Amino acid sequence: MTAILKDAEPQARPAQRFPATVGRFGDAADRAVIDGLVRWVEDRYRAELQDRPSKHVYIRTLPAVVVEQVDRLRDSSTIRSLIALQVRPGSAIAPMKHTDELYISHYNKDRGGDQGLFDKHYDGNLRFLSSSIVVRALIYLQSDATYTVVFDDSGLAKAFGSYEFGLLDFHRELHWVEGAYNPADRQRILLKCNYLVTPPNAAVAEWGALAANTAVFYVVKAAMEYSKSPRTLPQRAVGLLCNVFRRLNIIHPLIPLAVVAGLIAALGGAIVATVAFL
């Protein structure tokens, strides 16, 4: 059912970084589901498909019949079996469906919040959490070979087409997109699905990792969405911070957190000083 485009080692391994792996939905039923989802997206988001900024929509907010079709892909053995090959035997693989998104990808570098989708970046900044891995599946419902995704830590590059998918470590895979904007390109429509992987019999670690990942995910996503293709001064400021923090995260994931803590402390001190003065 699945053609693995990058040979995966047959034995499971307790690697701290999940190696990027790519594959394809080869089953006719799966491809029919994908074709149906593409038609729905093209009808529902006809206007958005013509816009320059990228668009993210939480899958949980879509109609139930659409979510049901998405579930067939993100819960399929095609993906889960490839994840299981690369992690410790008996690990819990828990879908993080509340974070999953439908993604309409338009190559966009305008110093806004979504520039980081194409520049060098780690998706997350919790790579110091050694007790868990978050695997992200990029499921290409529709795409052509115009753009190449480079998975730097895994030494892998792939120009994805329709029905293909890539698996990467959300926090530990430095990656970027190589290409150039062309309005005539075929629309790139993806699903971004996340899976939390924790060791066997580690319920506390699983709960803590889920809470930390959820908090970081929603804060970062909100900032990126607010500042994409910025027009106002506050949007430009947040977009600048997004891009600065992205670069700092590449150096070390604790640096952005330290900067945020410092800003909060400085703001708190200023408020206390102002109140005391009054």
Side-chain angles (χ1 to χ4, degrees):
M1 291 178 60
T2 303
I4 302 176
L5 305 182
K6 175 180 181 287
D7 291 336
E9 296 182 12
Q11 74 276 13
R13 58 187 185 184
Q16 289 191 353
R17 180 181 60 81
F18 185 93
T21 307
V22 298
R24 178 186 292 114
F25 286 100
D27 185 81
D30 290 335
R31 293 193 172 204
V33 169
I34 290 173
D35 291 340
L37 287 171
V38 170
R39 289 192 296 269
W40 183 85
V41 170
E42 289 179 334
D43 181 63
R44 171 63 179 81
Y45 297 105
R46 189 176 304 276
E48 289 86 343
L49 284 166
Q50 305 306 316
D51 291 339
R52 182 67 187 274
S54 295
K55 183 175 183 63
H56 289 80
V57 182
Y58 285 115
I59 292 172
R60 56 180 167 77
T61 67
L62 300 179
V65 65
V66 176
V67 175
E68 180 181 356
Q69 295 303 300
V70 171
D71 281 340
R72 291 189 57 177
L73 301 176
R74 62 181 170 186
D75 293 335
S76 71
S77 60
T78 302
I79 289 178
R80 294 181 70 96
S81 62
L82 288 184
I83 296 176
L85 279 173
Q86 302 288 358
V87 299
R88 184 183 305 174
S91 294
I93 303 174
M96 298 173 60
K97 294 186 178 183
H98 59 293
T99 67
D100 291 352
E101 300 167 288
L102 169 67
Y103 173 36
I104 298 173
S105 176
H106 292 157
Y107 198 84
N108 191 31
K109 289 191 174 183
D110 58 5
R111 300 179 183 177
D114 64 347
Q115 178 167 325
L117 298 169
F118 309 101
D119 283 346
K120 292 183 178 181
H121 68 286
Y122 292 98
D123 281 333
N125 68 337
L126 299 178
R127 56 187 182 273
F128 51 83
L129 293 181
S130 59
S131 62
S132 64
I133 298 171
V134 174
V135 178
R136 164 162 282 183
L138 302 174
I139 303 173
Y140 286 75
L141 305 180
Q142 178 176 278
S143 184
D144 56 24
T146 305
Y147 301 106
T148 298
V149 183
V150 179
F151 302 99
D152 188 62
D153 289 293
S154 296
L156 175 66
K158 171 64 180 171
F160 288 95
S162 301
Y163 310 124
E164 296 180 337
F165 62 86
L167 303 177
L168 70 151
D169 193 312
F170 186 84
H171 296 293
R172 302 178 181 89
E173 185 70 53
L174 183 65
H175 60 289
W176 63 90
V177 178
E178 294 182 346
Y181 176 68
N182 182 352
D185 284 341
R186 192 179 190 189
Q187 299 288 355
R188 298 172 70 234
I189 303 173
L190 295 75
L191 302 176
K192 290 184 174 182
C193 300
N194 305 307
Y195 306 81
L196 178 64
V197 181
T198 49
N201 303 315
V204 174
E206 180 179 357
W207 181 88
L210 180 62
N213 278 282
T214 298
V216 169
F217 182 91
Y218 282 134
V219 170
V220 172
K221 181 58 63 178
M224 290 177 61
E225 284 295 307
Y226 173 75
S227 61
K228 67 182 182 182
S229 292
R231 293 178 176 83
T232 66
L233 183 59
Q235 288 175 330
R236 292 190 181 96
V238 174
L240 174 63
L241 288 175
C242 285
N243 286 295
V244 169
F245 284 178
R246 171 176 50 80
R247 291 180 173 89
L248 293 176
N249 185 43
I250 293 175
I251 299 172
H252 195 283
L254 291 179
I255 296 178
L257 298 177
V259 171
V260 170
L263 291 174
I264 293 174
L267 179 60
I271 293 174
V272 170
T274 300
V275 171
F277 176 78
L278 295 176

